[in-house]
C-alpha cells in the first residue's frame, strides 16, 4: 500500500525546521522535565516561567518544557496548584538542561481544585472550550452508588449534555456520541460505557489527567467533528511501592504501583469488578423466575515506563474490560441468552529529545471493540455480533524555536477492520444458509502542522492545517439487490482494491486578544471530517450500535464550527469566568431508516438501512469557576438549539435532534469542613428530552391505529436532581515517641483510609427514563383508553464506600 501523503510530509517537515530556526532570534534554551518529587509522576501543565519577566511556558503531556531566554542571570520558577513553588537562579550562557522535582504542599486545611488548569491559562491561552480535569480531586463529589465516574463529571460542564437518567454517554454542542474522539493513552476507545451506559469504563484510580476539547480543536487531533476527550493513565510510583483501593456497594477496586528500577522506571496495575451477581446468587432459588440470570463487568488497566537515557523514555500501557449479561428462565423451553461486549487497547510510546527545542513522541496503538448476542430457545438459536479493530501509528513533533513561537507537526495512520452486524441462525442440526458479509477494511491517514505564535503581547494566533485521507478497500462483496431489497447477485471486490477514496482539507484557527491583565477575547474556527460512523437503533448508547466506514453511499461527516468568547479572571485569579457563543454545521449525518432493526438486512450490504441528512447547532455557554480555597467548584449554564433535516425522515421537514436541549444548568460545590470532613454537592437541571410519541389512537376495522407527533415533537418533563456526599478522612499521621529523649513527633501513617457517604437524587425526584402507553378498559364496554405512563429509573439512592491507601 502506498502513502504519498507521508512522502510529501518529509520535505515539508524539513522546510519548517529550517525556516523556524532561521527566524528564531539568538537565545539560550533551558529545557527539562517537571515531576512530582514524592512519586516521580510527570506533571502536566505545570507553569514554568522567568520571574523577572513573568514570561514562561507549560509542560506537555510528558512533563517536558522548553524556555527560551536571553543570555544572563534569570530566576526560573515553577508553580502548580497543590505543590510548593520552586525557584532556582541560573546563569544562561549556553543551552542547558534543568530537570525539576517539586514537592506536594503540606497544608493544615486542604485546599484543592476540582477542575484544574494552569494559572492564567483561562485568559492567556488560545484554547476555547477546553477544560482539564484532575481525576484524583473528584473523590469528594457525589456519585451514583458510590462509583466515581469521569464521564458523569464531564456532563456537569457547559456545552456537554447527558442522555438521561444515570447514563454516562455525553454529547457535545449538538453532536452525536460517535462525534466524540475518546483516547486512552492515544488509543481510541469505541464504547466508553459499562452496564448499558450507567457507568464509564475508566477506573479513576488509574487515570492521571483528562482534557476535554469541545471547541477550537487543534490540528493534531482529527477523525471526529465534535470533541476530543484525551485521557492519560498514571505512570506509577518510581520511588516506592504503594497501593490504593475501595470497597463499595456494587464493586471493589485495587491499584498497585511501584518502581521497576528506582528513579528510572515504574509500573501500575489497576483492576475493578462488580459483584452483584455473586452477592445475589445465594438468595435466588433454582426455581425462581430469573435463576441463572446475572450481570457483571470488570476492567484492568496496566502501564509500565522506563527511562533509557536523558533523551529517551518508553511506555507500554493497556486496558481490557468486559461486560457480561446473562438471562436464563427457570422453566423448560424458556429463552436463554448471553451478551458479552467490551474494549481492549494497547499503546506503546517512545519519547525522544532530539535537542532542547525538538521533542518527538512516537505511538503505536491497538484498539478492539466487540459485541455479541447469543440466544436460544428449545431447538432454535440465534447469534448477532459486530465490532471494530484498529492498528495505528502516530508521530508527533513539538518544536520550540523561540519564546514567541511554538510549532507542532506530525503524521498518523490507522488501519480499520470493521465487523458489521452479522447474524447466524440454527434450528437443531440445521444451519440457515445466510450469506455472511465480509469484514470491511479501510486505511485512514493524515498529516498536520500547527503554529502558535505571539504577534504582539496582546495578540496570539494558533493556526493549523490537517490533511486527511480515507481509503475503503477490498476484500468486499457488494450485494446487488432488487427494488424490494432482495438478493439478486453479488459483485466480489479483490483484497486491497480501492473501493472509494475521500480526502479532506481541515483548517484550524484560533486567536486570543488580551484586553488587560485579567481579561481577553478569543475566537476560533475549525473544520473537520469524520470517516467512521456509529449507526444507532436507540437514543442511548447501547452495545448493539454498529461502527461502519465511509464508502460508496456513506460519505464522511463534515463539521464546521465557529466560536467567540470573553474570558476574565476575578478576585486575584481565584475565580475565572467565561461566556462563549458557537455555531456548528454538520453534513452527511446518518440514521437508520424508520422501522429498521439490527437483523433486518439479512447480512447484505451494511449501508442498506441507512438514510442521510444534515444538521446544525448553536448556543451560548456561561462558566464561572472558583479554583482554590476551602470551598470551590463551578456553575455552568448552556442555552442551545440543535436541529436535523433528513429527506427520508419526518417528510423531509426539519425536526429537533434527540440531543436538543434548550436549557442546561449545573452546579458543583466541594467544601473542606475541617481536617476530617469534606462535603460535596451537585445540582443539574435540563430541558426535557425530545421524543416521538402517539398523540391519538383509533379503532379502524377492528385494528388499533396510532397517530404520532412529528419526529421528536414531544418534550418530556424537565430533568433535575440534587446529589450530596460527605467524606470522613482517617488520620494521616500518628505520634512516635523517641525512647532516648522522650520527644513526641508526628509521623505519616503507612495505611490510611476514608469513608464516603452519598445520596443520589436527594429529594427523590422521579425523572423520566422513558414513556410507554398501556391500554385500559374495553372497546366493547365503551371505556377503552390508552394512557401514557412514565418509567423512572432511580429514586433516592444512598451509598457508602470505604477507600484505602498504603
Amino acid at each position: 500500500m502506498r502513502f504519498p501523503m507521508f512522502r510529501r510530509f518529509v520535505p515539508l517537515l524539513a522546510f519548517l525546521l529550517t525556516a523556524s530556526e532561521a527566524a528564531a532570534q539568538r537565545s539560550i534554551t533551558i529545557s527539562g522535565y517537571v515531576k512530582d518529587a514524592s512519586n516521580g509522576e510527570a506533571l502536566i501543565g505545570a507553569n514554568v516561567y522567568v520571574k523577572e519577566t513573568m514570561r514562561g511556558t507549560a509542560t506537555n503531556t510528558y512533563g517536558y518544557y522548553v524556555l527560551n531566554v536571553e543570555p544572563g542571570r534569570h530566576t526560573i520558577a515553577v508553580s502548580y496548584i497543590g505543590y510548593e513553588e520552586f525557584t532556582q537562579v541560573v546563569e544562561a550562557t549556553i543551552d542547558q538542561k534543568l530537570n525539576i522535582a517539586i514537592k506536594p504542599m503540606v497544608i493544615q486545611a486542604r485546599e484543592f481544585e476540582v477542575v484544574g488548569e494552569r494559572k492564567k491559562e483561562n485568559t492567556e491561552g488560545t484554547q476555547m472550550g477546553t477544560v482539564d480535569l484532575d481525576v484524583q480531586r473528584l473523590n469528594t463529589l457525589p456519585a451514583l452508588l458510590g462509583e466515581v465516574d469521569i464521564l458523569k463529571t464531564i456532563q456537569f460542564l457547559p456545552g456537554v449534555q447527558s442522555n438521561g437518567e444515570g447514563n454516562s454517554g455525553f454529547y457535545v454542542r449538538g453532536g452525536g456520541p460517535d462525534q466524540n474522539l475518546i483516547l486512552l493513552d492515544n488509543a481510541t476507545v469505541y464504547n466508553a460505557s459499562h452496564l448499558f451506559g450507567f457507568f464509564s469504563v475508566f477506573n479513576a484510580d488509574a487515570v492521571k489527567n483528562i482534557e476535554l476539547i469541545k471547541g477550537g480543536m487543534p490540528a493534531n487531533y482529527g477523525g471526529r467533528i465534535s470533541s476530543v476527550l484525551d485521557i492519560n493513565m498514571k505512570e506509577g510510583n518510581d520511588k516506592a511501592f504503594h497501593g490504593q483501593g475501595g470497597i463499595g456497594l456494587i464493586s471493589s477496586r485495587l491499584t498497585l504501583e511501584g518502581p521497576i528500577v528506582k528513579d528510572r522506571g515504574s509500573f501500575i496495575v489497576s483492576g475493578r469488578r462488580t459483584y452483584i451477581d455473586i452477592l445475589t446468587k445465594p438468595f435466588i432459588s433454582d426455581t425462581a423466575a430469573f435463576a441463572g440470570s446475572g450481570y457483571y463487568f470488570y476492567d484492568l488497566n496496566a502501564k509500565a515506563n522506563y527511562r533509557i537515557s536523558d533523551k529517551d523514555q518508553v511506555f507500554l500501557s493497556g486496558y481490557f474490560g468486559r461486560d457480561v449479561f446473562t438471562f436464563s428462565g427457570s422453566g423448560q423451553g424458556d429463552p436463554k441468552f448471553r451478551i458479552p461486549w467490551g474494549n481492549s487497547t494497547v499503546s506503546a510510546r517512545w519519547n525522544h529529545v532530539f535537542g532542547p527545542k525538538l521533542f518527538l513522541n512516537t505511538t503505536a496503538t491497538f484498539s478492539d471493540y466487540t459485541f455479541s448476542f447469543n440466544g436460544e430457545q428449545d431447538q432454535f438459536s440465534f447469534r448477532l455480533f459486530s465490532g471494530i479493530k484498529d492498528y495505528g501509528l502516530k508521530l508527533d513533533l513539538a518544536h520550540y524555536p523561540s519564546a514567541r513561537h511554538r510549532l507542532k507537526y506530525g503524521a498518523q495512520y490507522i488501519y480499520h477492520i470493521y465487523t458489521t452486524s452479522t447474524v447466524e441462525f440454527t434450528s437443531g442440526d440445521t444451519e440457515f444458509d445466510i450469506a455472511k458479509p465480509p469484514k470491511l477494511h479501510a486505511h485512514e491517514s493524515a498529516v498536520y502542522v500547527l503554529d502558535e505564535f505571539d504577534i504582539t503581547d496582546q495578540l496570539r494566533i494558533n493556526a493549523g492545517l490537517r490533511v486527511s485521507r480515507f481509503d475503503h478497500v477490498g476484500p468486499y462483496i457488494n450485494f446487488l439487490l432488487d427494488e424490494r431489497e432482495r438478493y439478486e447477485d453479488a459483485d466480489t471486490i479483490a483484497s486491497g482494491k480501492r473501493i472509494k477514496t475521500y480526502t479532506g482539507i481541515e483548517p484550524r484557527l484560533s486567536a486570543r486578544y488580551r484586553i488587560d491583565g485579567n481579561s481577553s477575547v478569543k475566537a476560533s474556527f475549525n473544520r473537520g471530517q469524520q470517516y467512521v460512523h456509529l449507526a444507532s437503533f436507540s437514543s442511548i448508547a447501547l452495545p448493539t450500535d454498529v461502527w461502519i466506514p465511509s464508502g460508496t453511499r456513506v460519505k464522511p461527516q463534515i463539521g464546521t464550527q465557529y466560536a467567540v468568547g470573553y474570558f476574565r479572571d476575578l478576585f486575584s485569579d481565584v475565580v475565572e469566568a467565561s461566556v462563549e457563543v458557537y455555531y456548528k454545521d454538520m453534513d452527511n449525518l446518518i440514521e437508520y431508516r424508520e422501522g429498521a432493526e439490527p437483523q433486518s438486512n439479512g447480512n447484505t450490504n451494511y449501508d442498506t438501512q441507512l438514510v442521510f441528512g444534515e444538521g446544525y447547532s448553536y448556543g451560548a455557554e456561561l462558566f464561572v469557576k472558583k479554583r482554590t480555597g476551602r470551598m470551590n467548584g463551578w456553575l455552568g449554564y448552556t442555552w442551545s438549539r440543535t436541529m436535523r433535516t433528513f429527506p427520508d425522515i419526518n417528510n423531509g421537514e426539519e425536526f429537533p435532534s434527540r440531543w436538543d436541549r434548550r436549557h442546561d444548568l449545573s452546579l458543583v460545590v466541594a467544601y473542606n469542613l475541617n481536617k476530617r470532613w469534606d462535603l460535596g454537592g451537585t445540582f443539574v437541571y435540563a430541558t426535557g428530552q425530545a421524543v416521538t410519541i402517539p398523540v391519538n389512537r383509533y379503532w379502524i376495522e377492528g385494528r388499533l391505529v396510532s397517530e404520532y407527533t412529528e419526529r421528536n415533537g414531544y418534550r418530556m418533563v424537565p430533568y433535575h436532581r440534587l446529589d450530596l456526599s460527605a467524606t470522613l478522612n482517617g488520620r494521616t499521621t500518628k505520634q512516635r515517641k523517641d525512647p532516648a529523649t522522650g520527644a513526641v513527633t508526628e509521623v505519616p501513617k503507612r495505611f490510611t483510609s476514608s469513608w464516603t457517604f452519598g445520596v443520589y437524587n436527594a429529594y427523590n425526584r422521579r425523572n423520566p427514563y422513558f414513556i410507554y402507553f398501556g391500554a385500559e378498559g374495553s372497546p366493547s364496554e365503551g371505556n377503552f383508553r390508552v394512557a401514557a405512563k412514565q418509567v423512572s429509573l432511580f429514586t433516592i439512592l444512598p451509598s457508602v464506600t470505604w477507600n484505602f491507601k498504603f
Side-chain angles (χ1 to χ4, degrees), residues 249-370:
L249 294 178
I250 66 168
S251 72
S252 291
R253 63 191 193 280
L254 177 65
T255 300
L256 302 174
E257 58 181 325
I260 298 173
V261 176
K262 190 173 182 179
D263 296 327
R264 294 188 70 89
S266 60
F267 76 91
I268 182 170
V269 178
S270 184
R272 177 176 61 160
R273 191 195 192 278
T274 58
Y275 36 64
I276 297 176
D277 57 321
I278 299 173
L279 295 179
T280 58
K281 189 172 183 179
F283 302 98
I284 300 177
S285 67
D286 294 337
T287 58
F290 299 103
S293 302
Y295 169 83
Y296 64 90
F297 73 75
Y298 62 88
D299 41 41
L300 176 69
N301 297 79
K303 188 173 184 178
N305 75 92
Y306 185 77
R307 180 167 55 85
I308 301 171
S309 67
D310 288 341
K311 292 188 174 183
D312 297 279
Q313 189 170 6
V314 292
F315 304 80
L316 180 64
S317 62
Y319 166 83
F320 181 81
R322 282 291 180 271
D323 289 67
V324 179
F325 179 54
T326 58
F327 174 84
S328 179
S330 59
Q332 185 175 1
D334 287 346
K336 301 177 181 179
F337 57 80
R338 185 174 189 271
I339 311 175
W341 73 93
N343 300 273
S344 303
T345 68
V346 178
S347 297
R349 292 185 285 180
W350 169 49
N351 291 164
H352 179 70
V353 180
F354 284 104
K357 297 182 178 182
L358 186 61
F359 182 90
L360 168 69
N361 178 55
T362 303
T363 308
T365 60
F366 168 78
S367 180
D368 184 29
Y369 170 69
T370 58

Side-chain angles (χ1 to χ4, degrees), residues 81-303:
I81 291 180
Y83 288 78
E84 296 178 2
E85 186 179 34
F86 170 92
T87 59
Q88 180 172 326
V89 177
V90 299
E91 291 287 346
T93 56
I94 59 173
D95 293 346
Q96 56 186 281
K97 179 168 291 185
L98 179 61
N99 292 328
I100 301 169
I102 58 177
K103 299 178 181 179
M105 190 179 296
V106 179
I107 48 183
Q108 295 302 312
R110 295 184 302 146
E111 298 184 359
F112 59 87
E113 57 175 278
V114 176
V115 177
E117 59 185 67
R118 299 189 299 275
K119 187 177 180 181
K120 286 291 187 184
E121 190 62 22
N122 178 52
T123 56
E124 291 292 321
T126 58
Q127 300 94 330
M128 293 188 66
T130 301
V131 180
D132 291 331
L133 294 178
D134 187 346
V135 182
Q136 301 313 305
R137 312 294 192 185
L138 303 180
N139 291 325
T140 59
L141 295 181
L144 176 62
L145 295 175
E147 287 293 306
V148 176
D149 196 309
I150 293 168
L151 298 188
K152 286 192 175 67
T153 304
I154 289 172
Q155 295 171 1
F156 294 132
L157 299 172
V160 183
Q161 299 165 342
S162 71
N163 196 48
E165 182 73 271
N167 198 281
S168 63
F170 66 101
Y171 309 90
V172 178
R173 291 184 171 178
D178 63 327
Q179 296 175 0
N180 303 315
L181 177 63
I182 302 177
L183 300 173
L184 180 62
D185 277 354
N186 279 341
T188 303
V189 178
Y190 281 98
N191 188 309
S193 299
H194 284 308
L195 189 56
F196 301 101
F198 293 116
F199 300 103
S200 76
V201 300
F202 303 112
N203 182 351
D205 287 349
V207 174
K208 176 169 68 174
N209 186 74
I210 300 174
E211 183 179 47
L212 174 68
I213 304 172
K214 54 192 173 77
M217 190 183 300
N220 54 309
Y221 294 108
R224 303 295 188 275
I225 62 174
S226 274
S227 74
V228 178
L229 183 64
D230 196 353
I231 301 173
N232 295 290
M233 289 174 55
K234 290 181 179 178
E235 296 164 6
N237 193 317
D238 67 3
K239 308 292 183 183
F241 180 81
H242 289 280
Q244 69 179 82
I247 300 174
L249 294 178
I250 66 168
S251 72
S252 291
R253 63 191 193 280
L254 177 65
T255 300
L256 302 174
E257 58 181 325
I260 298 173
V261 176
K262 190 173 182 179
D263 296 327
R264 294 188 70 89
S266 60
F267 76 91
I268 182 170
V269 178
S270 184
R272 177 176 61 160
R273 191 195 192 278
T274 58
Y275 36 64
I276 297 176
D277 57 321
I278 299 173
L279 295 179
T280 58
K281 189 172 183 179
F283 302 98
I284 300 177
S285 67
D286 294 337
T287 58
F290 299 103
S293 302
Y295 169 83
Y296 64 90
F297 73 75
Y298 62 88
D299 41 41
L300 176 69
N301 297 79
K303 188 173 184 178

